Short mmCIF file of all heavy atoms in Angstrom, two decimals:
data_model
loop_
_atom_site.label_atom_id
_atom_site.label_comp_id
_atom_site.label_asym_id
_atom_site.label_seq_id
_atom_site.Cartn_x
_atom_site.Cartn_y
_atom_site.Cartn_z
N LEU A 328 -21.39 36.52 -27.20
CA LEU A 328 -20.64 37.10 -28.31
C LEU A 328 -21.65 37.31 -29.42
O LEU A 328 -22.40 36.39 -29.78
CB LEU A 328 -19.54 36.09 -28.70
CG LEU A 328 -18.38 36.66 -29.46
CD1 LEU A 328 -17.12 35.98 -29.02
CD2 LEU A 328 -18.60 36.41 -30.92
N TRP A 329 -21.69 38.52 -29.95
CA TRP A 329 -22.71 38.95 -30.92
C TRP A 329 -22.00 39.22 -32.24
O TRP A 329 -21.08 40.05 -32.25
CB TRP A 329 -23.37 40.21 -30.38
CG TRP A 329 -24.47 40.86 -31.17
CD1 TRP A 329 -24.39 42.05 -31.82
CD2 TRP A 329 -25.83 40.41 -31.31
NE1 TRP A 329 -25.60 42.38 -32.37
CE2 TRP A 329 -26.53 41.39 -32.06
CE3 TRP A 329 -26.54 39.29 -30.87
CZ2 TRP A 329 -27.88 41.28 -32.40
CZ3 TRP A 329 -27.88 39.19 -31.21
CH2 TRP A 329 -28.53 40.16 -31.95
N THR A 330 -22.35 38.50 -33.26
CA THR A 330 -21.62 38.72 -34.51
C THR A 330 -22.56 38.74 -35.71
O THR A 330 -23.63 38.13 -35.68
CB THR A 330 -20.52 37.65 -34.70
OG1 THR A 330 -19.90 37.83 -35.98
CG2 THR A 330 -21.08 36.24 -34.66
N LYS A 331 -22.15 39.47 -36.73
CA LYS A 331 -22.89 39.46 -38.01
C LYS A 331 -22.81 38.05 -38.59
O LYS A 331 -21.80 37.40 -38.48
CB LYS A 331 -22.24 40.44 -38.99
CG LYS A 331 -22.70 41.86 -38.84
CD LYS A 331 -22.75 42.53 -40.24
CE LYS A 331 -23.29 43.91 -40.16
NZ LYS A 331 -22.26 44.93 -39.89
N VAL A 332 -23.89 37.61 -39.23
CA VAL A 332 -23.83 36.34 -39.95
C VAL A 332 -23.16 36.60 -41.31
O VAL A 332 -23.16 37.74 -41.77
CB VAL A 332 -25.25 35.69 -40.14
CG1 VAL A 332 -25.88 35.42 -38.77
CG2 VAL A 332 -26.15 36.59 -40.97
N PRO A 333 -22.56 35.56 -41.92
CA PRO A 333 -21.88 35.79 -43.22
C PRO A 333 -22.87 36.29 -44.27
O PRO A 333 -24.08 36.04 -44.18
CB PRO A 333 -21.37 34.40 -43.58
CG PRO A 333 -21.32 33.65 -42.28
CD PRO A 333 -22.43 34.18 -41.44
N LYS A 334 -22.33 37.01 -45.25
CA LYS A 334 -23.17 37.59 -46.34
C LYS A 334 -24.01 36.50 -47.01
O LYS A 334 -23.53 35.38 -47.21
CB LYS A 334 -22.27 38.24 -47.38
CG LYS A 334 -21.64 39.51 -46.84
CD LYS A 334 -21.55 40.62 -47.89
CE LYS A 334 -21.29 41.96 -47.18
NZ LYS A 334 -20.19 41.89 -46.19
N GLY A 335 -25.25 36.86 -47.34
CA GLY A 335 -26.11 35.93 -48.04
C GLY A 335 -27.01 35.11 -47.12
O GLY A 335 -27.91 34.42 -47.57
N PHE A 336 -26.77 35.20 -45.81
CA PHE A 336 -27.59 34.45 -44.85
C PHE A 336 -28.52 35.40 -44.07
O PHE A 336 -28.14 36.54 -43.80
CB PHE A 336 -26.73 33.73 -43.82
CG PHE A 336 -26.06 32.48 -44.33
CD1 PHE A 336 -24.71 32.49 -44.67
CD2 PHE A 336 -26.79 31.30 -44.45
CE1 PHE A 336 -24.07 31.34 -45.10
CE2 PHE A 336 -26.15 30.14 -44.90
CZ PHE A 336 -24.81 30.17 -45.24
N THR A 337 -29.70 34.89 -43.67
CA THR A 337 -30.47 35.56 -42.63
C THR A 337 -29.99 34.96 -41.30
O THR A 337 -29.25 33.96 -41.28
CB THR A 337 -31.98 35.24 -42.75
OG1 THR A 337 -32.16 33.81 -42.65
CG2 THR A 337 -32.53 35.71 -44.08
N SER A 338 -30.46 35.53 -40.20
CA SER A 338 -30.09 35.00 -38.89
C SER A 338 -30.51 33.54 -38.77
O SER A 338 -29.68 32.66 -38.43
CB SER A 338 -30.78 35.80 -37.76
OG SER A 338 -30.23 37.08 -37.65
N SER A 339 -31.80 33.26 -39.03
CA SER A 339 -32.30 31.88 -38.88
C SER A 339 -31.64 30.95 -39.89
O SER A 339 -31.35 29.80 -39.56
CB SER A 339 -33.80 31.81 -39.07
OG SER A 339 -34.42 32.73 -38.26
N GLY A 340 -31.45 31.47 -41.11
CA GLY A 340 -30.81 30.65 -42.16
C GLY A 340 -29.43 30.21 -41.73
O GLY A 340 -29.04 29.06 -41.94
N PHE A 341 -28.69 31.11 -41.11
CA PHE A 341 -27.31 30.76 -40.71
C PHE A 341 -27.31 29.80 -39.53
O PHE A 341 -26.50 28.88 -39.48
CB PHE A 341 -26.51 32.02 -40.41
CG PHE A 341 -25.04 31.72 -40.11
CD1 PHE A 341 -24.24 31.15 -41.12
CD2 PHE A 341 -24.49 31.97 -38.88
CE1 PHE A 341 -22.90 30.83 -40.85
CE2 PHE A 341 -23.15 31.66 -38.61
CZ PHE A 341 -22.37 31.10 -39.61
N VAL A 342 -28.23 30.03 -38.58
CA VAL A 342 -28.31 29.13 -37.42
C VAL A 342 -28.59 27.70 -37.91
O VAL A 342 -27.97 26.73 -37.46
CB VAL A 342 -29.39 29.61 -36.43
CG1 VAL A 342 -29.68 28.54 -35.39
CG2 VAL A 342 -28.92 30.88 -35.74
N THR A 343 -29.54 27.59 -38.85
CA THR A 343 -29.89 26.26 -39.41
C THR A 343 -28.70 25.65 -40.13
O THR A 343 -28.38 24.47 -39.94
CB THR A 343 -31.07 26.43 -40.40
OG1 THR A 343 -32.12 27.12 -39.75
CG2 THR A 343 -31.58 25.08 -40.89
N HIS A 344 -28.05 26.45 -40.97
CA HIS A 344 -26.87 26.01 -41.73
C HIS A 344 -25.80 25.48 -40.79
O HIS A 344 -25.22 24.41 -40.99
CB HIS A 344 -26.36 27.20 -42.55
CG HIS A 344 -25.12 26.91 -43.35
ND1 HIS A 344 -25.11 26.10 -44.46
CD2 HIS A 344 -23.83 27.36 -43.18
CE1 HIS A 344 -23.87 26.05 -44.94
NE2 HIS A 344 -23.10 26.79 -44.20
N LEU A 345 -25.54 26.23 -39.72
CA LEU A 345 -24.51 25.82 -38.73
C LEU A 345 -24.88 24.52 -38.06
O LEU A 345 -24.08 23.60 -37.96
CB LEU A 345 -24.38 26.89 -37.65
CG LEU A 345 -23.29 27.94 -37.73
CD1 LEU A 345 -23.21 28.67 -36.40
CD2 LEU A 345 -21.94 27.33 -38.09
N LEU A 346 -26.14 24.45 -37.60
CA LEU A 346 -26.56 23.27 -36.85
C LEU A 346 -26.48 22.03 -37.74
O LEU A 346 -25.97 20.99 -37.33
CB LEU A 346 -27.98 23.48 -36.31
CG LEU A 346 -28.54 22.30 -35.51
CD1 LEU A 346 -27.68 22.06 -34.26
CD2 LEU A 346 -29.99 22.55 -35.07
N GLU A 347 -27.01 22.16 -38.98
CA GLU A 347 -27.07 20.99 -39.85
C GLU A 347 -25.70 20.53 -40.31
O GLU A 347 -25.47 19.33 -40.52
CB GLU A 347 -27.96 21.31 -41.06
CG GLU A 347 -29.43 21.27 -40.70
CD GLU A 347 -30.36 21.66 -41.85
OE1 GLU A 347 -29.84 22.14 -42.90
OE2 GLU A 347 -31.58 21.50 -41.67
N ASN A 348 -24.75 21.45 -40.45
CA ASN A 348 -23.46 21.07 -41.00
C ASN A 348 -22.32 20.95 -39.99
O ASN A 348 -21.27 20.42 -40.32
CB ASN A 348 -23.06 22.07 -42.09
CG ASN A 348 -24.02 22.01 -43.26
OD1 ASN A 348 -24.03 21.04 -44.02
ND2 ASN A 348 -24.86 23.04 -43.39
N THR A 349 -22.56 21.48 -38.77
CA THR A 349 -21.46 21.42 -37.79
C THR A 349 -21.90 20.91 -36.42
O THR A 349 -21.06 20.56 -35.57
CB THR A 349 -20.86 22.82 -37.55
OG1 THR A 349 -21.84 23.64 -36.88
CG2 THR A 349 -20.41 23.48 -38.84
N GLY A 350 -23.21 20.91 -36.14
CA GLY A 350 -23.68 20.55 -34.80
C GLY A 350 -23.48 21.66 -33.79
O GLY A 350 -23.68 21.46 -32.59
N VAL A 351 -23.05 22.86 -34.28
CA VAL A 351 -22.92 23.99 -33.36
C VAL A 351 -24.21 24.80 -33.39
O VAL A 351 -24.74 25.10 -34.47
CB VAL A 351 -21.74 24.93 -33.80
CG1 VAL A 351 -21.68 26.15 -32.90
CG2 VAL A 351 -20.41 24.14 -33.74
N LEU A 352 -24.73 25.10 -32.20
CA LEU A 352 -26.01 25.82 -32.15
C LEU A 352 -25.82 27.23 -31.54
O LEU A 352 -25.30 27.37 -30.44
CB LEU A 352 -27.01 25.02 -31.28
CG LEU A 352 -28.42 25.58 -31.17
CD1 LEU A 352 -29.08 25.70 -32.52
CD2 LEU A 352 -29.27 24.73 -30.25
N GLY A 353 -26.26 28.22 -32.30
CA GLY A 353 -26.29 29.59 -31.80
C GLY A 353 -27.73 30.07 -31.76
O GLY A 353 -28.65 29.32 -32.06
N THR A 354 -27.93 31.32 -31.33
CA THR A 354 -29.28 31.89 -31.24
C THR A 354 -29.44 32.96 -32.32
O THR A 354 -28.60 33.86 -32.41
CB THR A 354 -29.50 32.54 -29.85
OG1 THR A 354 -29.08 31.62 -28.86
CG2 THR A 354 -30.96 32.88 -29.66
N PRO A 355 -30.50 32.86 -33.15
CA PRO A 355 -30.68 33.86 -34.19
C PRO A 355 -30.98 35.26 -33.61
O PRO A 355 -31.84 35.37 -32.72
CB PRO A 355 -31.87 33.34 -34.99
CG PRO A 355 -32.61 32.41 -34.08
CD PRO A 355 -31.60 31.87 -33.12
N GLY A 356 -30.28 36.25 -34.08
CA GLY A 356 -30.39 37.61 -33.53
C GLY A 356 -31.82 38.17 -33.59
O GLY A 356 -32.22 38.91 -32.68
N ASN A 357 -32.57 37.80 -34.61
CA ASN A 357 -33.92 38.37 -34.75
C ASN A 357 -34.88 37.83 -33.69
O ASN A 357 -35.94 38.40 -33.44
CB ASN A 357 -34.50 38.10 -36.15
CG ASN A 357 -34.64 36.61 -36.44
OD1 ASN A 357 -33.77 35.81 -36.08
ND2 ASN A 357 -35.72 36.24 -37.08
N GLY A 358 -34.49 36.75 -33.00
CA GLY A 358 -35.31 36.25 -31.88
C GLY A 358 -35.36 37.23 -30.72
O GLY A 358 -36.25 37.17 -29.88
N PHE A 359 -34.42 38.19 -30.71
CA PHE A 359 -34.42 39.22 -29.64
C PHE A 359 -35.06 40.52 -30.13
O PHE A 359 -35.00 41.53 -29.47
CB PHE A 359 -32.98 39.50 -29.20
CG PHE A 359 -32.27 38.30 -28.67
CD1 PHE A 359 -31.39 37.57 -29.48
CD2 PHE A 359 -32.48 37.89 -27.38
CE1 PHE A 359 -30.74 36.45 -28.99
CE2 PHE A 359 -31.83 36.75 -26.87
CZ PHE A 359 -30.95 36.03 -27.69
N GLY A 360 -35.70 40.47 -31.31
CA GLY A 360 -36.32 41.65 -31.87
C GLY A 360 -35.81 41.91 -33.29
O GLY A 360 -34.67 41.54 -33.61
N ALA A 361 -36.67 42.53 -34.11
CA ALA A 361 -36.34 42.73 -35.53
C ALA A 361 -34.98 43.39 -35.78
O ALA A 361 -34.26 42.97 -36.71
CB ALA A 361 -37.45 43.50 -36.21
N PRO A 362 -34.57 44.38 -34.98
CA PRO A 362 -33.26 44.99 -35.26
C PRO A 362 -32.07 44.03 -35.08
O PRO A 362 -30.95 44.37 -35.43
CB PRO A 362 -33.19 46.15 -34.26
CG PRO A 362 -34.61 46.45 -33.91
CD PRO A 362 -35.29 45.11 -33.91
N GLY A 363 -32.33 42.81 -34.53
CA GLY A 363 -31.26 41.82 -34.38
C GLY A 363 -31.08 40.97 -35.62
O GLY A 363 -30.18 40.11 -35.66
N GLU A 364 -31.92 41.19 -36.64
CA GLU A 364 -31.78 40.42 -37.89
C GLU A 364 -30.39 40.64 -38.51
O GLU A 364 -29.89 41.75 -38.50
CB GLU A 364 -32.87 40.82 -38.87
CG GLU A 364 -32.80 40.13 -40.25
CD GLU A 364 -32.74 38.59 -40.15
OE1 GLU A 364 -33.59 38.00 -39.46
OE2 GLU A 364 -31.83 38.01 -40.75
N GLY A 365 -29.80 39.56 -38.97
CA GLY A 365 -28.45 39.69 -39.57
C GLY A 365 -27.35 39.36 -38.59
O GLY A 365 -26.18 39.40 -38.93
N TYR A 366 -27.75 39.03 -37.36
CA TYR A 366 -26.75 38.71 -36.33
C TYR A 366 -27.04 37.34 -35.71
O TYR A 366 -28.14 36.81 -35.83
CB TYR A 366 -26.77 39.75 -35.20
CG TYR A 366 -26.29 41.11 -35.64
CD1 TYR A 366 -27.16 42.00 -36.25
CD2 TYR A 366 -24.96 41.50 -35.43
CE1 TYR A 366 -26.72 43.25 -36.68
CE2 TYR A 366 -24.52 42.74 -35.85
CZ TYR A 366 -25.41 43.61 -36.47
OH TYR A 366 -24.96 44.85 -36.89
N ILE A 367 -26.06 36.78 -35.04
CA ILE A 367 -26.21 35.56 -34.27
C ILE A 367 -25.54 35.75 -32.91
O ILE A 367 -24.53 36.46 -32.80
CB ILE A 367 -25.61 34.33 -35.04
CG1 ILE A 367 -25.81 33.02 -34.28
CG2 ILE A 367 -24.14 34.54 -35.34
CD1 ILE A 367 -25.45 31.77 -35.11
N ARG A 368 -26.14 35.18 -31.86
CA ARG A 368 -25.55 35.25 -30.53
C ARG A 368 -25.00 33.89 -30.12
O ARG A 368 -25.69 32.88 -30.25
CB ARG A 368 -26.60 35.69 -29.50
CG ARG A 368 -26.00 36.01 -28.12
CD ARG A 368 -27.07 36.13 -27.05
NE ARG A 368 -27.52 34.80 -26.63
CZ ARG A 368 -28.40 34.59 -25.63
NH1 ARG A 368 -28.92 35.60 -24.98
NH2 ARG A 368 -28.77 33.36 -25.32
N PHE A 369 -23.75 33.90 -29.70
CA PHE A 369 -23.16 32.70 -29.13
C PHE A 369 -22.94 32.92 -27.61
O PHE A 369 -22.44 33.96 -27.22
CB PHE A 369 -21.78 32.42 -29.76
CG PHE A 369 -21.84 32.04 -31.21
CD1 PHE A 369 -21.25 32.83 -32.18
CD2 PHE A 369 -22.49 30.85 -31.61
CE1 PHE A 369 -21.27 32.46 -33.55
CE2 PHE A 369 -22.51 30.49 -32.96
CZ PHE A 369 -21.92 31.30 -33.92
N ALA A 370 -23.33 31.92 -26.82
CA ALA A 370 -23.11 32.01 -25.36
C ALA A 370 -21.82 31.27 -25.00
O ALA A 370 -21.51 30.24 -25.60
CB ALA A 370 -24.28 31.40 -24.62
N LEU A 371 -21.10 31.82 -24.05
CA LEU A 371 -19.80 31.25 -23.66
C LEU A 371 -19.98 30.23 -22.54
O LEU A 371 -19.20 30.20 -21.59
CB LEU A 371 -18.87 32.37 -23.19
CG LEU A 371 -18.63 33.53 -24.18
CD1 LEU A 371 -17.82 34.64 -23.52
CD2 LEU A 371 -17.94 33.03 -25.45
N THR A 372 -21.02 29.38 -22.69
CA THR A 372 -21.36 28.49 -21.59
C THR A 372 -20.97 27.02 -21.86
O THR A 372 -21.61 26.10 -21.36
CB THR A 372 -22.88 28.60 -21.27
OG1 THR A 372 -23.62 28.55 -22.50
CG2 THR A 372 -23.20 29.93 -20.61
N VAL A 373 -19.89 26.84 -22.65
CA VAL A 373 -19.27 25.52 -22.74
C VAL A 373 -17.77 25.69 -22.50
O VAL A 373 -17.25 26.80 -22.61
CB VAL A 373 -19.49 24.84 -24.11
CG1 VAL A 373 -20.98 24.69 -24.43
CG2 VAL A 373 -18.77 25.56 -25.23
N SER A 374 -17.07 24.60 -22.19
CA SER A 374 -15.64 24.69 -21.85
C SER A 374 -14.82 25.21 -23.02
O SER A 374 -15.22 25.15 -24.18
CB SER A 374 -15.13 23.29 -21.46
OG SER A 374 -15.09 22.48 -22.63
N ALA A 375 -13.62 25.73 -22.72
CA ALA A 375 -12.73 26.27 -23.75
C ALA A 375 -12.38 25.17 -24.78
O ALA A 375 -12.24 25.44 -25.96
CB ALA A 375 -11.46 26.81 -23.12
N LYS A 376 -12.29 23.94 -24.29
CA LYS A 376 -11.96 22.81 -25.17
C LYS A 376 -13.07 22.62 -26.21
O LYS A 376 -12.81 22.47 -27.41
CB LYS A 376 -11.77 21.54 -24.32
CG LYS A 376 -11.28 20.37 -25.07
CD LYS A 376 -10.77 19.27 -24.11
CE LYS A 376 -10.58 17.97 -24.88
NZ LYS A 376 -11.67 17.02 -24.67
N ARG A 377 -14.32 22.63 -25.74
CA ARG A 377 -15.46 22.50 -26.65
C ARG A 377 -15.56 23.72 -27.56
O ARG A 377 -15.97 23.61 -28.71
CB ARG A 377 -16.77 22.33 -25.86
CG ARG A 377 -16.89 21.00 -25.18
CD ARG A 377 -17.00 19.86 -26.17
NE ARG A 377 -18.37 19.61 -26.61
CZ ARG A 377 -18.69 18.74 -27.58
NH1 ARG A 377 -17.72 18.08 -28.19
NH2 ARG A 377 -19.92 18.56 -27.94
N MET A 378 -15.20 24.87 -27.03
CA MET A 378 -15.24 26.10 -27.83
C MET A 378 -14.24 26.00 -28.98
O MET A 378 -14.55 26.40 -30.10
CB MET A 378 -14.88 27.27 -26.90
CG MET A 378 -15.42 28.59 -27.39
SD MET A 378 -17.19 28.60 -27.50
CE MET A 378 -17.64 29.43 -26.00
N LYS A 379 -13.05 25.44 -28.69
CA LYS A 379 -12.04 25.24 -29.75
C LYS A 379 -12.61 24.33 -30.83
O LYS A 379 -12.45 24.57 -32.03
CB LYS A 379 -10.77 24.63 -29.15
CG LYS A 379 -9.85 25.66 -28.59
CD LYS A 379 -8.53 25.05 -28.07
CE LYS A 379 -7.89 26.03 -27.11
NZ LYS A 379 -7.30 25.42 -25.92
N GLU A 380 -13.24 23.25 -30.37
CA GLU A 380 -13.87 22.30 -31.27
C GLU A 380 -14.94 23.01 -32.13
O GLU A 380 -15.01 22.79 -33.35
CB GLU A 380 -14.46 21.16 -30.45
CG GLU A 380 -15.46 20.26 -31.15
CD GLU A 380 -14.82 19.16 -31.97
OE1 GLU A 380 -13.64 18.82 -31.72
OE2 GLU A 380 -15.48 18.64 -32.91
N ALA A 381 -15.74 23.87 -31.51
CA ALA A 381 -16.75 24.62 -32.25
C ALA A 381 -16.14 25.47 -33.34
O ALA A 381 -16.60 25.47 -34.50
CB ALA A 381 -17.58 25.48 -31.28
N VAL A 382 -15.06 26.18 -32.99
CA VAL A 382 -14.39 27.05 -33.95
C VAL A 382 -13.85 26.20 -35.15
O VAL A 382 -14.00 26.58 -36.30
CB VAL A 382 -13.26 27.84 -33.29
CG1 VAL A 382 -12.39 28.56 -34.33
CG2 VAL A 382 -13.83 28.86 -32.28
N GLU A 383 -13.25 25.05 -34.81
CA GLU A 383 -12.74 24.18 -35.87
C GLU A 383 -13.82 23.73 -36.81
O GLU A 383 -13.68 23.78 -38.04
CB GLU A 383 -12.09 22.95 -35.24
CG GLU A 383 -10.61 23.12 -34.99
CD GLU A 383 -10.07 21.98 -34.11
OE1 GLU A 383 -10.53 20.82 -34.27
OE2 GLU A 383 -9.22 22.30 -33.26
N ARG A 384 -14.96 23.32 -36.22
CA ARG A 384 -16.07 22.85 -37.05
C ARG A 384 -16.62 23.98 -37.94
O ARG A 384 -16.92 23.77 -39.10
CB ARG A 384 -17.21 22.32 -36.19
CG ARG A 384 -16.87 21.03 -35.47
CD ARG A 384 -18.16 20.45 -34.92
NE ARG A 384 -17.92 19.52 -33.83
CZ ARG A 384 -18.92 19.03 -33.06
NH1 ARG A 384 -20.16 19.40 -33.28
NH2 ARG A 384 -18.66 18.20 -32.09
#
Side-chain angles (χ1 to χ4, degrees):
L328 201 142
W329 181 250
T330 176
K331 275 214 175 88
V332 299
K334 290 218 163 49
F336 283 103
T337 60
S338 290
S339 307
F341 186 63
V342 168
T343 307
H344 177 71
L345 263 193
L346 180 62
E347 283 176 350
N348 296 290
T349 68
V351 176
L352 184 59
T354 311
N357 63 320
F359 301 99
E364 178 53 52
Y366 292 84
I367 182 170
R368 189 194 77 176
F369 292 117
L371 305 173
T372 47
V373 303
S374 70
K376 187 165 167 260
R377 289 294 274 173
M378 203 61 99
K379 275 183 199 139
E380 164 83 22
V382 170
E383 269 168 36
R384 291 193 202 171

